[in-house]
């Protein structure tokens, strides 16, 4: 269990959900990117609270192949009637703050929920036990 001082410091960004064994980030803009590390024997992705992050795979000879080093990726939700849009997780930081936001960091997965433009979107990120891919749902 974390010391009370550490729990108080974390409370400004989110909280632990003991039942689900997750950290729930409720502040969409912490002072530094909040990362999760999702991996299998060959593939690694490190999404931040916004869902974007570096990823690479490791070949059998130990060679590391960078797939996305910049971490710049995003899922944009567009209202076709109004033309308004938002980035799920708002990884750019340049768009309006999300209405409601949470990023749940669990063992082997991450779930981002966000409301914006009267829409609610959920993104789940995981890495399968085998294979060189991240799965987004």
């Amino acid at each position: 269990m974390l010391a009370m001082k550490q729990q108080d410091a974390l409370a400004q960004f989110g909280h632990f959900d003991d039942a689900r064994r997750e950290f729930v980030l409720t502040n969409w803009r912490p002072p530094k990117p909040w990362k999760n590390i999702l991996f299998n024997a060959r593939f690694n992705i490190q999404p931040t609270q916004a869902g974007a992050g570096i990823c690479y795979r490791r070949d059998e000879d130990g060679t590391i192949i960078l797939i996305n080093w910049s971490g710049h990726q995003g899922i944009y939700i567009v209202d076709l009637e109004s033309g308004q849009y938002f980035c799920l997780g708002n990884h750019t930081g340049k768009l309006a703050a999300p209405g409601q936001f949470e990023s749940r960091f669990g063992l082997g997965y991450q779930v981002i929920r966000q409301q914006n433009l009267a829409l609610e979107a959920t993104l789940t990120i995981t890495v399968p036990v085998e294979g060189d891919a991240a799965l987004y749902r």
Side-chain angles (χ1 to χ4, degrees), residues 49-52 73-77 85-92 95 98 100-102 112-116 120-124 137:
Q49 75 280 357
Q73 61 190 35
I75 295 175
Y76 288 84
I77 310 294
Y85 66 93
F86 69 93
C87 179
L88 183 59
N90 198 8
H91 78 283
T92 64
L95 303 174
Q100 289 185 333
F101 170 86
E102 73 175 16
I112 301 168
R113 286 192 185 98
Q114 180 177 330
Q115 287 183 347
N116 209 331
E120 182 175 323
T122 301
L123 173 65
T124 301
R137 179 180 67 142

Side-chain angles (χ1 to χ4, degrees), residues 14-29:
H15 61 276
F16 283 99
D17 182 334
D18 291 331
R20 291 184 171 181
R21 300 183 67 187
E22 300 172 330
F23 184 77
V24 183
L25 189 73
T26 54
N27 180 334
W28 70 281
R29 206 149 186 196

Side-chain angles (χ1 to χ4, degrees), residues 38-84:
L38 308 173
F39 63 94
N40 61 29
R42 289 179 36 103
F43 188 81
N44 180 305
I45 184 169
Q46 299 176 17
T48 67
Q49 75 280 357
I54 67 168
C55 62
Y56 61 88
R57 80 164 198 256
R58 184 181 304 269
D59 286 342
E60 290 177 15
D61 66 359
T63 302
I64 294 175
I65 308 297
L66 295 174
I67 297 168
N68 181 1
W69 184 250
S70 71
H72 296 294
Q73 61 190 35
I75 295 175
Y76 288 84
I77 310 294
V78 179
D79 181 333
L80 296 176
E81 292 178 12
S82 70
Q84 291 182 305

